Amino acid sequence: MSDREVPHPGPGPLEQCELQVLAEELGDSRLALRFLSTYLAMLPGRLLRIADGLCRHDPDASMDAVLSLKISSAMVGAVETETQCRAIEMMIREDHFDSAVAALPELRKSSDRCFAAVPPLTGNTESFCRNPWNPQTG
């Protein structure tokens, strides 16, 4: 055995448990999956809105765009993207637009990981859709 500690893996780009919570709140897992699909479809545009607001040093546009992405990311379980948005939000609040612009590549990487995580996640939709709290699909 090594003296070095084995790193504990962090949360994945999409946490299925958050989608399950959303499905439970909506009463239908298909609606939660549709929300995820819409989230992913809107992701590139949201990233552009954030970048545009930050590059123009527009606090209102930047904040509106980053909060929109942060909230929707939390709803689908995109924890890493949500965390990146929280960091950028603080930079905007502190008027550190150059730092926020410098953080954009990491936000883009986390959103790319969300896209990459979807095929394995949706491969489990059958079990996801057959939870006892959702009799419509089970």
Side-chain angles (χ1 to χ4, degrees), residues 46-120:
R46 285 182 166 150
L47 292 171
L48 284 173
R49 282 184 51 221
I50 292 170
D52 181 58
L54 291 175
C55 290
R56 290 186 294 114
H57 290 223
D58 182 335
D60 293 330
S62 300
M63 190 62 75
D64 181 59
V66 81
L67 289 176
S68 174
L69 181 57
K70 180 183 84 169
I71 292 165
S72 60
S73 295
M75 291 176 71
V76 298
V79 178
E80 186 180 359
T81 299
E82 178 190 3
T83 300
Q84 293 291 329
C85 287
R86 284 183 191 282
I88 291 172
E89 176 188 358
M90 295 311 321
M91 293 172 202
I92 295 167
R93 290 186 191 283
E94 295 170 0
D95 200 31
H96 296 302
F97 282 90
D98 292 337
S99 297
V101 169
L104 285 174
E106 287 304 313
L107 179 60
R108 286 189 186 106
K109 287 178 189 176
S110 71
S111 67
D112 288 346
R113 285 188 283 275
C114 287
F115 278 108
V118 172

